[in-house]
Amino acid sequence: MRAEPTPYAPHIHQHPAPIPFAEPWQYELAFPCDPRSPRIARTTLRAILGAHELDELSYRAELLTSELTTNSVRHTKGPAAVRLQWRYPVLRISVRDMSPDLPKPYAPPADPHAEAGRGMAILELVADRWGGCAIGEGALGPGGKTVWFELALGT
């Protein structure tokens, strides 16, 4: 619903009222297989959570989103997407990519000084809940997978 222009500035329209805090919303960001994509996803996520006054969830959400988007960029060749869904009091963030391979459960790396291989442990420790599902093949080829996590306010 658009507001009628004021008589003094007919070209200026009022914005709609903000979505109430407990009402659901969702955002989605598609990104290419590019090493800059995880940083762009974190920056976008931070802006969305700040605008919705969910700063309490920002640190954990950024950390886990960074892990999942980095895995997507490193281990797949196609585009991917991050979706944020707010269902008061839970934030669900999911990363969808073109690889049908679900992440393997965390196993400590053989080399304790390894620079990679801890993403699933971080997900297990930091998320309130997490999971994933493969998306079957369709007319356009492999469907890929979605890995998601949830963070609840006050946890």
Side-chain angles (χ1 to χ4, degrees), residues 72-126:
S72 180
V73 168
R74 281 188 180 162
H75 302 295
T76 68
K77 299 205 182 314
V82 175
R83 176 181 289 167
L84 286 78
Q85 296 173 290
W86 175 245
R87 302 290 183 264
Y88 178 81
V90 174
L91 175 69
R92 176 180 276 208
I93 298 178
S94 55
V95 175
R96 183 181 72 244
D97 63 38
M98 300 305 293
S99 171
D101 300 324
L102 289 170
K104 294 175 179 44
Y106 175 72
D111 177 4
H113 302 292
E115 292 185 21
R118 293 180 180 83
M120 298 315 294
I122 293 170
L123 187 62
E124 183 69 37
L125 290 169
V126 176

Side-chain angles (χ1 to χ4, degrees), residues 18-99:
I19 297 171
F21 188 74
E23 291 296 313
W25 50 257
Q26 106 177 351
Y27 293 85
E28 187 163 344
L29 171 69
F31 59 90
C33 186
D34 182 285
R36 295 169 286 205
S37 293
R39 180 172 41 92
I40 292 167
R42 284 191 310 271
T43 302
T44 303
L45 178 134
R46 188 178 317 121
I48 292 168
L49 295 182
H52 284 278
E53 299 179 2
L54 290 168
D55 298 304
E56 170 185 334
L57 301 177
S58 190
Y59 177 77
R60 293 190 304 152
E62 284 182 59
L63 173 66
L64 297 176
T65 299
S66 183
E67 289 295 329
L68 294 181
T69 56
T70 298
N71 283 349
S72 180
V73 168
R74 281 188 180 162
H75 302 295
T76 68
K77 299 205 182 314
V82 175
R83 176 181 289 167
L84 286 78
Q85 296 173 290
W86 175 245
R87 302 290 183 264
Y88 178 81
V90 174
L91 175 69
R92 176 180 276 208
I93 298 178
S94 55
V95 175
R96 183 181 72 244
D97 63 38
M98 300 305 293
S99 171

